[in-house]
């Protein structure tokens, strides 16, 4: 393999609050992680992408950029890099209009970000692939534009996702959470209080959006569209602000919306609507609580968010519920599932003082008994050592390309 000249680093994200509302155009509050997908690569004069990966089961992948990009088998890791290429080279992407022959990349993908864990490893790979291809062709795209482009491109993999993950990955700021707004996409850094500590705790179950969880995830996005249409249709004529959650929640109070929805929507969809509109309110309140360093208030909102995801949105699992309850018992300010759910991780908020006790409680009451039952070697934690199913998350910088060796 050609000696690498560049390293692209694309961090994962952990969502602090605002779950399953990005695809409804509503604001969310994640932060970029200090764990990332990396690609060490050299540029090629031919329009070819040739990548290997250090992760088990990820074989060499190769495809051309001068032919329509086709999807590999469902679940194949290369689909995320193909999605990036598809977004850049087709659909009026920035490389489609290039007036000189396209250059390719050859390199190796590596990651210290747990995969299939609700920490956006897939989006990190799409962003990493896009940045590598842009670098190889000396084209620059502003972070927010690239976030919008890669969010759309990731739908190539079949998931009808929102735009939170790519924006968090590209716009991360050290020591800050990010408030992300949509239509148009914006990322506003929110300073993290010094004393706050974030713990990511794995439920030890894979949440693989390219496989089983994809159907459940896409069903939620569809249901949100259906219920929105029903609520808007039931508004008095002339009263419908527009067919978007943002317009609706901006014009009508949450309580009134819930009242109206209770009359217009059946029992299957009503809880989905309740989650979306109450979660939007929680994001606004949580952002204020963070700005004023009110940890208990932020924590209480996380707990409400978790309960709503469990009961209204039905994306939690017994293991995630157990982690949340152990963390709260041990003195955490708040805890909730993070990411799409259906497995994956919980995010726990503690003060500097309580963090060690909470970690100890989780090790003793959640992980120890599972260690007995089966080896933690089965953990979904990619290349993260299996003895580390919990880690402290630090708000980090966004994706970047650096000269190699660093
Ligand atoms: C996944 C998607 C995001 C978002 C979350 C749930 O991570 O990629 O766009 O919808 O689920 O909040």
């Amino acid at each position: 393999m050609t000696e690498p000249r560049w390293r692209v680093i694309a961090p994962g994200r952990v969502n602090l609050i605002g779950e399953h509302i990005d695809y409804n155009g509503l604001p969310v509050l994640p932060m970029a992680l200090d764990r990332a997908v990396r690609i060490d690569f050299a540029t090629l004069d031919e329009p070819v992408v040739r990548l290997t990966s250090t992760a088990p089961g990820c074989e060499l992948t190769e495809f051309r950029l001068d032919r329509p990009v086709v999807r590999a088998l469902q679940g194949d890791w290369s689909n995320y890099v193909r999605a990036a290429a598809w977004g850049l080279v087709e659909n009026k992407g920035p490389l489609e209009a290039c007036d000189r022959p396209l250059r390719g990349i050859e390199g190796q993908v590596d990651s210290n970000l747990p995969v299939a864990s609700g920490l956006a490893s897939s989006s990190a790979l799409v962003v990493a692939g896009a940045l590598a291809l842009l670098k190889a062709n000396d084209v620059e795209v502003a972070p927010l534009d690239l976030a919008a482009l890669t969010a759309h491109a990731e739908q190539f993999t079949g998931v009808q996702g929102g735009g939170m993950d790519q924006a968090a990955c590209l716009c991360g700021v050290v020591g800050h959470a990010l408030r992300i707004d949509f239509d148009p996409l914006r990322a506003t850094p929110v300073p993290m209080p010094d004393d706050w500590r974030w713990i990511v705790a794995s439920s030890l179950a894979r949440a693989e959006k390219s496989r089983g969880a994809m159907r459940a995830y896409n069903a939620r996005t569809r249901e949100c569209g259906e219920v929105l249409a029903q609520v808007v249709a039931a508004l008095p004529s002339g009263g419908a602000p527009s067919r978007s959650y943002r317009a609706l929640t901006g014009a009508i109070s949450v309580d009134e919306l819930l009242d109206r929805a209770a009359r217009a929507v059946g029992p299957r969809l009503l809880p989905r609507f309740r989650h979306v509109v109450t979660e939007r309110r929680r994001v606004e309140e949580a952002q204020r609580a963070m700005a004023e360093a009110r940890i208990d208030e932020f924590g209480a909102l996380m707990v409400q968010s978790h309960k709503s995801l469990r009961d209204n949105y039905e994306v939690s699992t017994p293991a995630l519920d157990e982690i949340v309850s152990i963390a709260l018992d041990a003195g955490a300010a708040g805890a909730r599932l993070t990411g799409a759910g259906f497995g994956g991780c919980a995010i726990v908020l503690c003060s500097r003082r309580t963090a060690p006790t909470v970690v100890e409680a989780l090790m003793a009451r959640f992980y120890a008994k599972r260690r007995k039952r089966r080896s933690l070697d089965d953990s979904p934690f990619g290349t993260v050592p299996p003895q580390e199913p919990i880690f402290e998350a630090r708000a980090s910088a966004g994706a970047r390309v650096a000269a190699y060796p660093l």
Side-chain angles (χ1 to χ4, degrees):
M1 197 174 74
T2 328
E3 273 298 297
R5 282 198 51 209
W6 307 101
R7 167 172 288 183
V8 45
I9 301 169
R13 63 97 190 97
V14 62
N15 192 16
L16 309 180
I17 198 158
E19 214 64 86
H20 281 281
I21 60 171
D22 62 342
Y23 49 79
N24 292 313
L26 296 176
V28 294
L29 197 68
M31 67 187 194
L33 284 172
D34 53 347
R35 288 166 189 252
V37 169
R38 295 183 295 258
I39 307 181
D40 293 337
F41 67 98
T43 57
L44 299 174
D45 286 333
E46 45 171 353
V48 167
V49 172
R50 194 175 298 130
L51 291 173
T52 57
S53 167
T54 52
C58 295
E59 280 130 34
L60 171 81
T61 193
E62 181 166 335
F63 60 92
R64 295 191 66 88
L65 299 167
D66 55 355
R67 306 204 183 117
V69 181
V70 286
R71 247 193 265 180
L73 290 179
Q74 189 75 42
D76 187 306
W77 71 282
S78 75
N79 277 332
Y80 297 104
V81 186
R82 289 168 193 262
W86 178 77
L88 293 173
V89 176
E90 298 177 37
N91 299 303
K92 306 200 170 54
L95 296 187
E96 193 178 21
C98 245
D99 44 12
R100 41 193 166 71
L102 281 182
R103 286 201 292 265
I105 54 172
E106 180 172 79
Q108 177 163 296
V109 180
D110 172 31
S111 167
N112 63 356
L113 177 64
V115 298
S117 292
L119 301 175
S121 58
S122 0
S123 302
L125 183 51
V126 177
V127 168
L131 283 172
L133 283 168
L134 288 170
K135 185 74 191 174
N137 288 284
D138 288 324
V139 172
E140 284 196 18
V141 177
L144 278 176
D145 293 337
L146 190 57
L149 185 150
T150 47
H152 176 67
E154 197 170 324
Q155 300 201 348
F156 175 86
T157 63
V159 181
Q160 309 293 313
M164 161 169 70
D165 302 352
Q166 303 79 4
C169 173
L170 278 150
C171 302
V173 178
V174 175
H176 291 68
L178 294 171
R179 177 194 163 110
I180 297 174
D181 287 274
F182 301 93
D183 310 313
L185 187 61
R186 278 155 294 154
T188 313
V190 184
M192 186 73 71
D194 275 354
D195 188 48
W196 292 21
R197 293 291 177 275
W198 296 99
I199 295 161
V200 173
S202 168
S203 69
L204 304 179
R206 292 176 78 91
E208 199 128 31
K209 269 209 282 89
S210 62
R211 297 175 198 265
M214 174 154 76
R215 218 169 313 117
Y217 181 93
N218 287 347
R220 299 296 183 285
T221 66
R222 213 176 34 248
E223 288 167 350
C224 287
E226 274 170 47
V227 66
L228 174 67
Q230 290 177 14
V231 173
V232 169
L235 289 175
S237 58
S242 102
R243 291 190 161 267
S244 80
Y245 276 99
R246 199 173 62 178
L248 207 61
T249 49
I252 304 176
S253 77
V254 170
D255 293 337
E256 193 186 332
L257 272 177
L258 289 176
D259 240 33
R260 285 171 185 270
R263 278 177 264 129
V265 176
R268 186 177 63 89
L269 292 181
L270 185 61
R272 305 287 194 254
F273 186 77
R274 189 179 303 127
H275 171 73
V276 173
V277 298
T278 58
E279 187 76 352
R280 188 220 164 125
R281 181 167 62 187
R282 285 188 284 274
V283 170
E284 303 295 348
E285 292 172 357
Q287 187 187 345
R288 277 197 295 276
M290 182 176 278
E292 290 161 20
R294 285 183 271 115
I295 191 170
D296 291 338
E297 188 179 334
F298 197 107
L301 291 162
M302 290 173 73
V303 175
Q304 288 170 25
S305 168
H306 182 77
K307 288 186 176 151
S308 179
L309 289 160
R310 183 191 63 197
D311 303 335
N312 293 321
Y313 224 67
E314 298 177 285
V315 294
S316 189
T317 63
L320 286 165
D321 298 342
E322 195 180 334
I323 291 176
V324 167
S325 120
I326 294 172
L328 294 175
D329 268 6
R336 54 183 288 279
L337 71 84
T338 188
F342 316 109
C345 292
I347 176 76
V348 179
L349 170 60
C350 303
S351 66
R352 192 197 319 242
R353 190 178 53 77
T354 52
T357 323
V358 172
V359 170
E360 247 171 59
L362 285 169
M363 288 311 286
R365 291 175 51 198
F366 186 83
Y367 297 106
K369 62 182 183 203
R370 284 164 175 84
R371 202 190 292 271
K372 277 191 216 121
R373 226 183 294 145
R374 61 166 192 170
S375 151
L376 281 180
D377 289 338
D378 298 341
S379 118
F381 268 68
T383 57
V384 176
Q387 62 274 25
E388 198 198 14
I390 291 193
F391 63 88
E392 187 186 328
R394 293 187 194 86
S396 302
R400 57 226 175 253
V401 186
Y404 185 94
L406 305 174

